[in-house]
Amino acid sequence: MDPKKAYKTFYKYRKKLNFFLLIIFFLQVLILFVSIKGIIIPNSFLNTFITLPKDNALSFKGVYFKLPKIINAKEIELISKKNHIVQLENPTIILKDYIPSSFESFLKFKAEIIKCTFLKSKKFISLKNVTANVERNYLHMSFEVNSEKIVVKVKGKINLTKTLNNTKKQEGSLDSIFTNIEKYNNLIQKNLLEINTTDCIELVCVFDIDENIKFNVVQKASNDTNPVISGLKTIGTFDLTKGRMKRISTQIEKLRLPFSNSTVEFNKSNIFLSDTKGNQKNSAINYFVNCNSNSINFDGVIKGSTSNLFLNFNSYDKFINTILILDNNTSNCSNFIKWNPTDSVFSIDGENKFIPNLLDFKIIKNKKTFNFITGDLIEIGINSFSIINEPNPQNYITILGNNVSVLDAPDGNYSGSGTLNDNLSLTFTNAYGKMGNSQVQGTYSQEWSPLNYEFVLNGQCNPTDINNWMGEWWTEIWTDFAFNLDDVPLGDFIISGSWGGDSNHSTDGKINASHYKYKQLDVINSNIHVNVDAKKTTLFLNHLEHSRGVIGGHVTIPRLAARQSELLNFKMIGDFPINDGRNILGDFVEGFLDDFNLTTIRVDTHGDIDIRSNKYNFPETSDNNFHIITDTDKNGSWNGINFTSFKGTIIKETNSLLFDFPTIQTCNGNISLLIDSNLTNKNSNINLKTSNLKVDELYDSIISYQLKTDKIILSDKDSTSISENGIVDFSINATCTDFDFTSLNGTGKIKIKDKELSKIRLLGLLSNGLDELPLPFPSGTLKFNTLEGLFELENGLITFDSLVLSGLLSKVVSNGNINLENGELNIKSKIQLIGNVPIISKIAQIADPLAVFAEIKITGPWNDPKWEFLLSPTK
C-alpha cells in the first residue's frame, strides 16, 4: 500500500468522514441521554395501544422510555366513574420487545405502591413493593397487601397461557371484579372494627395459578396478648375452568368475633370445605362443610364458656342443610336445619337439653354481674310441619323450664309454645310462668338484631320479681311500693324494649292491688294504670282507697336521665292524707306539707314540680307551677297553730305565688289570709283579717308557733295576764320583701274586747297603775273592757295616733310606738272621764283631779315598763 496515495485518498474524502463521525457522536450522546434521562411518551400515543371498558379511563403522568427497553412513569391512574380509583406510583416496566404485543413482551414490572380507593365506602387497599417478571410463560409475582388492619405478603406464579385462556371464558367486568373486592374487604373490616382491636393481622400467602388457583396461607405470630385471630393455616384449590372452589382446609387456634356487645372466642377450630358437584354437565354446584371448635368462650356483657360444637353444612340443589351438635356435660343439642337462601325460608327439627346449674354464664347489666341462668333443667324442642295451602313449613317450638332462675330472679317453672320464624325471631303465643310470688300467662316475642322483646302478660304479678330482668328503669318504678305477698297484685301488662339497655323500654298495663304501702301511705285498694316510655313513668290512679278516703288522678315522674329537663307532673282529686302521704309527690311538696299536722284534706289540684336533687327552695324554684283548691273540716295544726277547718286556693306560676284562704277556723274564730307574691322582685302583698279570735287560744297558738319555728314573738311570762274571755279582731294590709314578715310595711286595725281587760298586760299594766292612784274615784271608775285603734307598721315598728282603752266610766287615749323586735315601748296616754253617771258630774264639779296630769308616759321593755305622770304647767 502506498502511504502517500492513501493519505491523498483520505484527505480527498475528509469532509464526508468528519460528517459521518459527527453523526456517530450525536447518536452516542442521544443513546446515552435516552439511557439516563429517557424520552417522554405522549399520552395520546399510549392510549392508542390500550382499550378499556366503558366508564373507565387511564391517565398518565411522567411516562418515559429509556434504553435498552425500559418504561418509567411517575403515576398511572385507572379511574372508574362508578366506584374505584387505582393508582400506580413510580411503576417500572422492562420490555422484551420494543413494541409490546403480548404478556411475553414484558420481562419485569416494579411499582412502589398500587392503591385502590373505593369511592362509595371510602375504604382502600394498597399493594406495596410490587414486582413481577415473565419467565418461560410464567408470571412470577410478589407484593404486600395493606388494608387498614390486615397485611398480606404474597408470592407466587401464574401460567399465563392457561390463565388467560380460562379468564376469557369467564363472564364479568372490570367493575364487578373491584365490586367483589370491596364487598369482602368491607365485611372483614366491619368485623374487626366491631371487635375494637388495634392488632394488625399479618399473613403470608403462596400461590400457584394455572387451570386452578392453589394457595397456602399462614398467619405470622403476633405480639398481641389477645389477638382477633391467631394460628391461622389454610390450604385450598379454586377451579378456574369451572369457576368454583374445589376444597379448602383451615385450622385456627383462636378466633374472636363480635356478638351482642360481647366477644365470642372459638378455640382450636377446624373448617373443611369440599366441592361435591356431580360429573353431569348441568349438575348444580354443591358443597360439603365441616366445622368444629373444642371450646367457645364469651367475654364482655356475656361471660362464660361451652365446648364441643360441631357444624356440618352441605348444599344440595337450592338448599343448604345444616347439622348442629353441641355435646358436653351441660348441654346436649342435636338439630337439623334446611335453608333456602333464595327466599330465606328454612325448616328446623331438633331436641335440646340444658342443665343450667352446670352452666357458668354471667351477664353484666348496669355495672352489676348476674348469673345468666341457673336451674335444674331446660328442654327445647323444635319441629317443622307443612300446612295445607301454605307454601312454606312452619317451625314450632316448645320450651319447658324446671326450677329455673334467669338473672338471679326468683326460681320458677316455665312453659311455652310458639314458632321460630324465618328470620330466627321467636314468637311464643302460649307462655306460662310461675316464679317467686308471681304466676302469669300470656305471649312473648324475641328478635335478635337488635335484641328487641315484648311480653304480654296477665295474672298475679309481683313487679319486683323481675327487677333484674328489666334493669334500673323498671326497679325505679316500684322502689316506693311494698306489696302484700299474701295478696299479690293482679296485673295486665305489655312490656317491650331491647335487652342490654335502659333507655328504650316501654310498659303499659294495669294493676289491681290491695293492702300495700306506697312510700308511707297504707293503701286499702287501688286500680293503677302504669305507662312507661323513654322519658317518663306515669301512674294513673283510677281509684286509690286509703284509710282516710279515696283519691284519683295521675303522677308523671321523669326518668332519671330526663330529670335535668323534665318536671314531675300531677293531677289529684279526692281525699289527700297529709300525714301519711306527705312524701308521695317528692321533696318539694313534702317540704311544704311538713309544716302541717293533719289527717286529710280534700284537694282538686294539678301542676308541675321540680324534683331535681338539691333543688328544693320553696317558693323560689321558678320551674314549679301548680293550682291547688283545698278544704278540710278536720282538726289539725300548721306550725303548732291549731285550726278546725280551712278552705282556700294556692296558685304557683313561673314568677308568682298566690295564697288565698278566705276561711281558716282557729282560736274559736276565723282568719282570712291573702298573700300575693311576685317572685321576680320578691315583693309580697299581704291582707290578713281575723274576727272573734279568743285571746287565750291565740296566745297559746303563738307560743306553740314559737316552739315549732324558734321565732320569738311573746314571752311565756305574759300568760299570767291572759284572760279566758277576751276576743280579738285584727286586720292588716301590708307588703314585705323576700318573705321576711318582720319587714312588713302597711296599715292595720285592732280591737280587743274583754271585761277583764284591765288585768291584761296592756300599755305596761297602765290600768293597774291607775287603780293605785290616791284619788277619790269610786271603785271601778278606771276599769276597761275595750282596746281599739288604727296603726301603721314599718320595719317592725308599730305606730299609732289614737289607741283608745275604754270602759264604762273612763277611757285612755294613747299615741306612740311599739318596737316588735326588742319589745320597747314609747307611749303617751291621756285619761278621760266619760258617761252621765251622777257621781262623775259631782266629781267634775268639785275638781277634776286628773286635770293636773297632762299625760302619762310609758317607756321601756314590754315586760317591765316604766311609767310616769307628767304635770300640766297651767294647773
Side-chain angles (χ1 to χ4, degrees), residues 688-693 695 698 702 714 727-733 747-753 757 760-763 785-792 798-806 814 818 820 862:
L688 174 66
K689 293 181 180 180
T690 72
S691 60
N692 299 318
L693 299 186
V695 173
L698 176 61
I702 293 174
L714 298 175
I727 299 296
V728 59
D729 294 336
F730 178 84
S731 65
I732 184 171
N733 287 302
T747 60
K749 179 179 180 181
I750 187 171
K751 183 176 182 180
I752 301 175
K753 292 184 177 181
L757 191 60
I760 300 176
R761 186 180 297 274
L762 296 172
L763 307 179
N785 55 28
T786 302
L787 176 67
E788 185 175 9
L790 303 176
F791 64 86
E792 292 183 1
I798 297 178
T799 304
F800 44 88
D801 292 331
S802 178
L803 186 63
V804 179
L805 180 65
S806 60
S814 303
I818 302 174
L820 294 178
W862 174 279

Side-chain angles (χ1 to χ4, degrees), residues 528-529 536-543 551-557 568-573 584-585 605-608:
I528 302 175
H529 179 188
K536 61 186 181 301
T537 297
T538 302
L539 303 177
F540 296 93
L541 308 175
N542 300 324
H543 174 88
I551 195 168
H554 76 260
V555 179
T556 300
I557 307 168
L568 181 149
N569 176 267
F570 69 94
K571 178 178 177 63
M572 286 189 179
I573 301 175
I584 66 174
L585 292 178
T605 175
H606 62 272
D608 299 283

Side-chain angles (χ1 to χ4, degrees), residues 142-157:
S142 68
F143 53 88
E144 182 179 301
V145 181
N146 289 268
S147 177
E148 296 189 32
K149 295 183 179 181
I150 299 177
V151 175
V152 185
K153 294 183 178 180
V154 183
K155 186 175 183 179
K157 62 179 181 178

Side-chain angles (χ1 to χ4, degrees), residues 689-799:
K689 293 181 180 180
T690 72
S691 60
N692 299 318
L693 299 186
K694 292 192 66 175
V695 173
D696 58 338
E697 293 186 18
L698 176 61
Y699 176 84
D700 291 340
S701 294
I702 293 174
I703 296 300
S704 297
Y705 176 82
Q706 292 180 160
L707 294 174
K708 184 80 173 178
T709 63
D710 292 329
K711 296 179 180 179
I712 304 302
I713 299 175
L714 298 175
S715 169
D716 57 2
K717 295 180 181 179
D718 299 327
S719 61
T720 57
S721 57
I722 295 300
S723 169
E724 296 181 357
N725 302 311
I727 299 296
V728 59
D729 294 336
F730 178 84
S731 65
I732 184 171
N733 287 302
T735 62
C736 72
T737 302
D738 204 17
F739 288 91
D740 180 8
F741 294 107
T742 62
S743 64
L744 285 171
N745 295 318
T747 60
K749 179 179 180 181
I750 187 171
K751 183 176 182 180
I752 301 175
K753 292 184 177 181
D754 191 345
K755 63 182 180 180
E756 298 180 353
L757 191 60
S758 303
K759 298 180 180 180
I760 300 176
R761 186 180 297 274
L762 296 172
L763 307 179
L765 279 177
L766 174 61
S767 55
N768 286 3
L770 293 175
D771 280 342
E772 297 174 0
L773 288 174
L775 296 174
F777 291 135
S779 176
T781 302
L782 299 178
K783 300 296 182 181
F784 306 103
N785 55 28
T786 302
L787 176 67
E788 185 175 9
L790 303 176
F791 64 86
E792 292 183 1
L793 177 60
E794 185 175 3
N795 297 323
L797 190 68
I798 297 178
T799 304

Side-chain angles (χ1 to χ4, degrees), residues 509-665:
K510 297 179 180 179
I511 290 182
N512 293 321
S514 58
H515 303 102
Y516 67 92
K517 274 184 174 290
Y518 177 66
K519 295 188 176 180
Q520 296 178 357
L521 177 63
D522 287 312
V523 179
I524 298 174
N525 192 20
S526 68
N527 184 333
I528 302 175
H529 179 188
V530 180
N531 182 273
V532 183
D533 58 28
K535 288 188 175 182
K536 61 186 181 301
T537 297
T538 302
L539 303 177
F540 296 93
L541 308 175
N542 300 324
H543 174 88
L544 191 148
E545 180 183 354
H546 51 86
S547 60
R548 305 294 181 178
V550 176
I551 195 168
H554 76 260
V555 179
T556 300
I557 307 168
R559 298 274 293 274
L560 287 173
R563 288 190 182 176
Q564 293 304 310
S565 58
E566 301 291 331
L567 304 177
L568 181 149
N569 176 267
F570 69 94
K571 178 178 177 63
M572 286 189 179
I573 301 175
D575 304 309
F576 185 82
I578 293 283
N579 288 344
D580 296 337
R582 65 179 70 249
N583 64 343
I584 66 174
L585 292 178
D587 292 343
F588 178 87
V589 175
E590 182 179 6
F592 177 70
L593 297 180
D594 273 344
D595 295 334
F596 285 87
N597 180 15
L598 179 63
T599 57
T600 310
I601 60 172
R602 289 181 293 272
V603 295
D604 183 352
T605 175
H606 62 272
D608 299 283
I609 295 175
D610 191 341
I611 58 172
R612 285 173 279 187
S613 59
N614 301 322
K615 196 67 177 175
Y616 173 69
N617 185 17
F618 177 80
E620 296 178 14
T621 305
S622 60
D623 288 340
N624 295 310
N625 61 88
F626 47 83
H627 190 133
I628 303 173
I629 301 173
T630 180
D631 69 273
T632 185
D633 56 5
K634 308 296 183 183
N635 293 334
S637 65
W638 175 80
N639 278 324
I641 299 177
N642 295 323
F643 55 80
T644 57
S645 67
F646 64 73
K647 183 177 182 179
T649 302
I650 303 174
I651 300 176
K652 166 68 173 63
E653 295 179 347
T654 302
N655 295 310
S656 65
L657 176 66
L658 176 69
F659 285 84
D660 185 5
F661 281 78
T663 302
I664 304 174
Q665 296 293 324

Side-chain angles (χ1 to χ4, degrees), residues 66-296:
K66 297 181 180 181
L67 292 175
K69 300 170 186 177
I70 302 172
I71 297 177
N72 286 340
K74 183 177 181 181
E75 182 179 279
I76 299 176
E77 190 172 73
L78 171 63
I79 302 173
S80 168
K81 295 180 181 179
K82 293 183 177 179
N83 188 25
H84 60 272
I85 298 175
V86 180
Q87 297 169 307
L88 284 71
E89 297 183 8
N90 299 318
T92 299
I93 302 173
I94 301 177
L95 302 173
K96 182 179 180 181
D97 301 320
Y98 283 105
I99 299 178
S101 59
S102 66
F103 267 109
E104 294 180 355
S105 301
F106 295 88
L107 291 177
K108 290 185 180 181
F109 171 81
K110 291 182 180 180
E112 292 181 4
I113 296 176
I114 300 178
K115 183 177 181 181
C116 179
T117 303
F118 302 102
L119 302 178
K120 293 179 182 179
S121 64
K122 299 182 180 179
K123 301 288 185 180
F124 69 89
I125 297 176
S126 63
L127 279 61
K128 296 183 178 179
N129 303 321
V130 182
T131 64
N133 63 286
V134 179
E135 294 181 9
R136 298 180 182 180
N137 205 41
Y138 277 91
L139 175 63
H140 297 266
M141 298 186 68
S142 68
F143 53 88
E144 182 179 301
V145 181
N146 289 268
S147 177
E148 296 189 32
K149 295 183 179 181
I150 299 177
V151 175
V152 185
K153 294 183 178 180
V154 183
K155 186 175 183 179
K157 62 179 181 178
I158 303 173
N159 187 319
L160 295 175
T161 302
K162 293 183 178 181
T163 302
L164 292 175
N165 289 335
N166 288 328
T167 53
K168 288 178 182 178
K169 301 176 183 178
Q170 305 296 320
E171 295 183 358
S173 65
L174 190 63
D175 284 323
S176 66
I177 294 173
F178 281 100
T179 298
N180 287 328
I181 292 174
E182 179 186 23
K183 180 175 67 175
Y184 291 115
N185 177 65
N186 291 345
L187 178 63
I188 294 171
Q189 296 301 331
K190 178 177 181 293
N191 288 331
L192 291 176
L193 288 172
E194 287 181 357
I195 297 176
N196 195 25
T197 179
T198 58
D199 183 33
C200 182
I201 300 172
E202 295 187 47
L203 304 175
V204 176
C205 176
V206 179
F207 67 89
D208 186 353
I209 302 176
D210 45 30
E211 292 180 344
N212 299 306
I213 300 176
K214 300 175 184 178
F215 57 90
N216 188 344
V217 180
V218 178
Q219 182 182 4
K220 293 181 66 175
S222 172
N223 294 325
D224 194 345
T225 57
N226 198 19
V228 173
I229 187 170
S230 64
L232 170 66
K233 297 178 182 179
T234 185
I235 298 174
T237 302
F238 184 87
D239 191 337
L240 281 175
T241 61
K242 298 178 180 179
R244 68 176 186 266
M245 185 68 70
K246 292 181 69 175
R247 67 183 56 86
I248 184 170
S249 178
T250 302
Q251 296 178 355
I252 305 174
E253 278 294 314
K254 182 185 292 186
L255 174 65
R256 294 168 58 230
L257 297 176
F259 172 74
S260 185
N261 297 322
S262 299
T263 301
V264 185
E265 180 182 279
F266 297 87
N267 293 300
K268 296 189 180 303
S269 303
N270 296 282
I271 304 171
F272 177 77
L273 178 146
S274 177
D275 175 17
T276 61
K277 176 176 169 61
N279 295 323
Q280 292 84 359
K281 182 178 180 181
N282 296 322
S283 61
I285 300 174
N286 299 316
Y287 291 101
F288 174 86
V289 183
N290 275 341
C291 304
N292 64 76
S293 290
N294 282 7
S295 65
I296 304 172

